[in-house]
Amino acid sequence: MAVAEAKRNAAEARLSALALPQGGWTGVARAEALARLRAMGLPGRRDEYWRYTDPATLVQAEAAHAALFDPQDEPMVFTSFDRVKVVFVDGVFDPAQSDDLEAAGVELLSRQTADIHWAQSLYGVLETRGQTPVQRPLAALNTAAATEGVLIRVTGKAAKPVSLIYLHKSETSDAILHHCVKLEEGAELTLLENGPAAARFNKVLEVEVADGARFHHIRTQGRDHERRAVTHIFARLGRESLFKSFTLTANGVLTRNEAVIELTGDDAVAHVAGAAVGDGDFHHDDTVFVTHAAERCESRQVFKKVLKNGAVGVFQGKILVKPGAQKTDGYQISQSLLLDDHSQFLAKPELEIYADDVKCSHGSTSGAIDETALYYLRSRGVPLRQAQSLLVLAFLAEAIQEIEDEALAEDIRSRLESWLARHGQ
Amino acid sequence: MLEINNLHVKLEEDDKVILKGVNLKVEAGKVHAIMGPNGSGKSTLSYVLSGRDGYEVTDGSATLDGVELLEMEPEERAAAGLFLAFQYPVEIPGVGNMTFLRTAVNAQRKARGQEEMSAGEFLKVVREKAKALKIDAEMMKRPVNVGFSGGEKKRNEILQMAMLEPKMCILDETDSGLDVDAMKLVAEGVNALRDEGRAFLVITHYQRLLDHIKPDVVHIMADGRIVKTGGPELALEVENNGYAGILAEVL
Ligand SMILES: Nc1ncnc2c1ncn2[C@@H]1O[C@H](COP(=O)(O)OP(=O)(O)O)[C@@H](O)[C@H]1O
Ligand SMILES: [Mg+2]
């Protein structure tokens, strides 16, 4: 009782620091989210789902201070790609730096346009579905409080990727963004996200992928060492649809990325992958929940982490196969490369299967760099650092391979290489 | 070219002494063979020369063209012109064979102050050399040694040697696990590289390989020492009578 009360008090304290938006077409969804949040309270360390990650700084009323990163230190990703740029500075849309959104069919949540019926059937809807069987109060908080975000509906093959760029300019900013993406039947979209966003960042992305539609998501996050982030992706997949999400995390004192994916149409494919590299004060948590609710669907979870100087990696991944979801093909791998004895990796892989004709495999490993391979490379004249970097990239390769577009994959690789070079690998 | 004097080596982890005073001198343009029973220290010698961790040199020296090797990092030894074809080539998942080779070639060029090879030029050279060793394009795309057969691994070692053009080549049991045809390919690869400025140290158990790669000098190693040195006839003696006779004579 005392615990539940503390959680509810935490929710009230957090809410009191926020100006909650009222009315508009999201009004009902927000009110419901608020009620959900008040009933659940905010997470605490004692929650099973937060066993490996302390949510205190994500939950507390004010964002902790986060120093800005020197942009000279690291080039931005995606700059050479033809894309529709949507820029948010500390969580606030910046029209001056953004492209023409109307032409690209991108709507803004902040405009509160009333006739977005499609968005009304999505905003908070997938988040609500994602609250069972596990509670995700920080996502409910997001639905209740977000005033900014994009609403994208795609009916054909999108001409260009939509690129969400999150700039961080204030050391105390506390950003909440909520995006809704709907891919109608047969549509295709690539969504890019990058940037540190804010001192504290809470983001929800709801994605509805209709029958035969294809969604590609590539994001990079981190960069500002002290920034904290909690993100949720809620996706629902129709028949023969494809969902592919890849995240690169480099730095960031605390990151919790949740992905909640529901395969509801037969023959759908969902891949979610992540590569995380952390040096020092770095805590990175991937929490994934994939539900197979239809036949012959394929899901893959591929998560790789490279940790050094006391960095901590967490993976909680689940595949739930519902009754009747026959011929499910589920795969899950989580691995960490520990570059020293101070770093640690905590993994909780789970399978829960209620159908008899399925193929599911999972594995989790943690290991050091292969000294023999390192020596072999060096004996061929490759200098130590370069050899290490080659082996680290090799370790991450399986995750990066999940990016279909080779040019984007190359961009991610070179970003990683520059990170490794700066961090003595 | 290579001069080893009174080399004593023990394991770093425990007190086990493996090399107990190795003396060896290999001149440029020559092929030396080392034969010897299992466990006599042949691989250890090649590892110590190439800079593998885990061994402690307690005495002696090894120089390449007068420069002390034992002080150098493994990559510096490679850049100085030393190459070891491994008895057990290492698998590196996730690193493509072609990437690996190109990285190695360019790293050595860079270390020697030469310009890097262009992608086109590299491809041309590597294709030609791979073809001679019957290494197909598919094998070049695969991760280094992963899923390669024993023979493929050994041919891949020779390909690396051909690309890196070292001046001192050590081959550690490159013939073991090879059938006759594969061994011929390997021998041809080695012979193609033979010239005035290059030397070879061929570690083997069998006369077979030495039929194809004719040695100038043959050494017998036993219990961490070179116990006998002679001409090619010494290899024949081993082939016919085993090591027992030779060892009885010297110990
Ligand atoms: N890393 C090691 N750990 C334990 N023993 C080793 C190690 N390296 C070599 N040895 C031992 O040293 C001796 C020489 O081994 P090695 O050099 O492989 O011989 P060869 O190649 O002549 O067969 C053997 O007794 C072997 O077991
Ligand atoms: Mg050996």
Side-chain angles (χ1 to χ4, degrees):
Chain A
M1 198 56 211
V3 174
E5 196 179 308
K7 289 170 63 173
R8 283 197 297 270
N9 290 343
E12 294 309 326
R14 180 77 174 94
L15 286 167
S16 67
L18 290 167
L20 293 180
Q22 305 292 329
W25 62 269
T26 51
V28 175
R30 289 175 194 285
E32 286 172 4
L34 192 60
R36 275 198 296 285
L37 173 64
R38 289 199 150 120
M40 292 186 275
L42 280 169
R45 196 65 206 264
R46 309 262 293 268
D47 288 327
E48 182 60 25
Y49 215 46
W50 290 87
R51 222 173 119 182
Y52 304 121
T53 298
D54 187 349
T57 53
L58 298 172
V59 162
Q60 72 193 32
E62 302 287 338
H65 180 273
L68 302 180
F69 188 80
D70 181 355
Q72 298 298 341
D73 272 12
E74 197 159 295
M76 290 277 239
V77 280
F78 310 139
T79 48
S80 61
F81 290 85
D82 190 15
R83 56 197 170 136
V84 180
K85 294 197 290 290
V86 188
V87 178
F88 293 89
V89 179
D90 292 302
V92 179
F93 175 65
D94 182 354
Q97 297 191 68
S98 300
D99 290 329
D100 180 359
L101 301 192
E102 214 165 314
V106 177
E107 191 45 271
L108 290 167
L109 180 63
S110 53
R111 293 210 180 113
Q112 281 288 317
T113 318
D115 58 355
I116 308 172
H117 299 297
W118 69 266
Q120 204 153 19
S121 63
L122 193 51
Y123 189 90
V125 173
L126 297 187
E127 176 258 299
T128 307
R129 290 176 68 93
Q131 295 292 351
T132 42
V134 191
Q135 296 186 342
R136 307 174 198 278
L138 287 163
L141 170 75
N142 181 298
T143 301
T147 54
E148 297 264 6
V150 291
L151 309 168
I152 307 170
R153 179 170 166 264
V154 196
T155 51
K157 189 173 171 9
K160 296 177 187 180
V162 173
S163 179
L164 308 179
I165 300 163
Y166 308 128
L167 303 180
H168 174 203
K169 302 277 188 210
S170 149
E171 298 189 343
T172 54
S173 54
D174 195 7
I176 301 180
L177 293 183
H178 193 117
H179 308 306
C180 293
V181 176
K182 184 164 192 186
L183 289 97
E184 299 290 0
E185 218 167 297
E188 183 163 3
L189 174 74
T190 297
L191 182 72
L192 308 174
E193 293 183 280
N194 74 289
R200 181 168 70 179
F201 189 32
N202 179 330
K203 191 201 67 188
V204 165
L205 168 63
E206 292 179 292
V207 189
E208 176 93 58
V209 190
D211 295 351
R214 301 167 70 84
F215 178 68
H216 304 271
H217 176 228
I218 295 111
R219 104 177 122 168
T220 69
Q221 58 177 191
R223 216 176 75 128
D224 290 22
H225 306 282
E226 295 175 1
R227 79 95 179 91
R228 292 173 164 81
V230 56
T231 78
H232 291 80
I233 299 173
F234 296 97
R236 182 162 59 178
L237 277 71
R239 195 168 38 81
E240 291 172 27
S241 67
L242 175 88
F243 170 96
K244 274 193 150 189
S245 172
F246 170 87
T247 301
L248 168 67
T249 310
N251 300 340
V253 65
L254 177 62
T255 307
R256 162 95 161 199
N257 290 332
E258 296 195 22
V260 185
I261 297 157
E262 249 189 304
L263 297 133
T264 57
D266 294 341
D267 303 290
V269 174
H271 291 194
V272 2
V277 290
D279 183 356
D281 209 357
F282 174 88
H283 184 108
H284 185 272
D285 176 335
D286 282 302
T287 291
V288 181
F289 200 113
V290 175
T291 304
H292 283 259
E295 293 189 23
R296 295 179 306 277
C297 291
E298 174 196 307
S299 72
R300 276 174 74 86
Q301 303 173 33
V302 181
F303 288 87
K304 304 263 185 163
K305 300 183 205 296
V306 177
L307 307 167
K308 66 185 284 195
N309 288 326
V312 178
V314 174
F315 175 77
Q316 304 189 100
K318 179 157 182 167
I319 305 175
L320 169 64
V321 180
K322 289 202 161 171
Q326 302 297 8
K327 307 273 186 223
T328 284
D329 182 357
Y331 174 78
Q332 180 196 83
I333 183 96
S334 64
Q335 294 181 309
S336 76
L337 184 62
L338 304 175
L339 296 178
D340 54 47
D341 297 338
H342 315 294
S343 306
Q344 58 171 328
F345 178 56
L346 305 156
K348 190 180 174 198
E350 279 182 290
L351 291 177
E352 199 177 324
I353 301 174
Y354 297 103
D356 49 17
D357 186 14
V358 304
K359 193 175 89 190
C360 278
S361 63
H362 66 159
S364 181
T365 65
S366 201
I369 211 153
D370 181 347
E371 289 297 331
T372 310
L374 200 59
Y375 158 61
Y376 189 62
L377 283 163
R378 296 176 75 192
S379 80
R380 296 316 182 227
V382 183
L384 176 63
R385 279 198 171 189
Q386 199 184 350
Q388 282 173 332
S389 154
L390 211 56
L391 292 178
V392 169
L393 284 170
F395 168 77
L396 296 172
E398 189 186 359
I400 299 169
Q401 270 159 21
E402 290 295 334
I403 303 171
E404 252 179 43
D405 185 298
E406 193 36 50
L408 285 169
E410 199 42 52
D411 204 29
I412 294 293
R413 255 181 236 117
S414 62
R415 168 86 159 76
L416 261 168
E417 273 163 21
S418 82
W419 188 92
L420 291 169
R422 272 187 301 104
H423 289 265
Q425 285 305 322
Chain B
M1 162 129 358
L2 178 68
E3 204 171 328
I4 303 169
N5 282 311
N6 192 32
L7 185 62
H8 285 72
V9 170
K10 71 184 244 329
L11 290 179
E12 219 163 52
E13 302 252 297
D14 57 48
D15 288 333
K16 183 172 166 130
V17 179
I18 302 174
L19 300 183
K20 304 169 178 173
V22 174
N23 290 293
L24 186 68
K25 196 168 172 185
V26 182
E27 304 283 356
K30 302 289 184 203
V31 174
H32 286 228
I34 297 187
M35 303 181 82
N38 278 331
S40 55
K42 304 181 298 297
S43 290
T44 302
L45 175 63
S46 64
Y47 287 147
V48 169
L49 291 175
S50 73
R52 187 175 193 151
D53 278 347
Y55 302 100
E56 188 185 326
V57 176
T58 53
D59 202 1
S61 70
T63 57
L64 186 66
D65 284 339
V67 184
E68 182 58 71
L69 279 176
L70 302 178
E71 307 277 301
M72 294 184 198
E73 297 297 336
E75 55 268 35
E76 294 169 338
R77 302 179 197 206
L82 185 82
F83 180 89
L84 168 62
F86 283 56
Q87 181 174 359
Y88 305 107
V90 178
E91 299 184 2
I92 316 182
V95 178
N97 209 17
M98 192 70 99
T99 308
F100 166 67
L101 255 185
R102 190 157 169 233
T103 308
V105 167
N106 283 332
Q108 293 205 12
R109 292 178 84 106
K110 202 171 156 196
R112 296 189 195 117
Q114 297 164 334
E115 232 180 83
E116 294 198 351
M117 239 190 197
S118 74
E121 190 190 350
F122 174 81
L123 217 60
K124 195 172 143 256
V125 181
V126 85
R127 279 206 186 119
E128 186 187 308
K129 300 197 189 235
K131 199 172 158 210
L133 287 158
K134 294 213 162 69
I135 292 175
D136 59 24
E138 198 262 333
M139 224 172 110
M140 294 309 297
K141 277 189 215 146
R142 274 164 31 200
V144 181
N145 293 324
V146 177
F148 287 25
S149 71
E152 285 173 339
K153 285 182 182 172
K154 296 299 176 79
R155 279 184 276 143
N156 202 33
E157 294 289 289
I158 301 303
L159 175 63
Q160 292 165 35
M161 186 169 82
M163 289 303 297
L164 295 169
E165 301 183 319
K167 57 186 180 193
M168 181 68 233
C169 309
I170 305 173
L171 281 70
D172 189 0
E173 292 202 31
T174 300
D175 52 339
S176 64
L178 294 188
D179 59 29
V180 180
D181 292 340
M183 195 173 64
K184 272 191 186 156
L185 282 178
V186 163
E188 278 164 21
V190 171
N191 288 329
L193 281 171
R194 286 182 75 159
D195 76 36
E196 290 302 298
R198 185 170 285 133
F200 291 85
L201 190 58
V202 180
I203 298 171
T204 181
H205 274 297
Y206 307 104
Q207 164 65 27
R208 237 175 30 153
L209 180 67
L210 303 179
D211 284 341
H212 299 284
I213 308 172
K214 299 254 184 294
D216 299 293
V217 184
V218 175
H219 309 274
I220 307 296
M221 189 164 187
D223 192 26
R225 286 185 196 90
I226 302 288
V227 294
K228 189 164 185 179
T229 295
E233 72 287 349
L234 194 52
L236 284 171
E237 193 185 328
V238 169
E239 180 79 359
N240 294 329
N241 308 324
Y243 295 108
I246 298 169
L247 296 187
E249 181 188 316
V250 296
L251 292 178

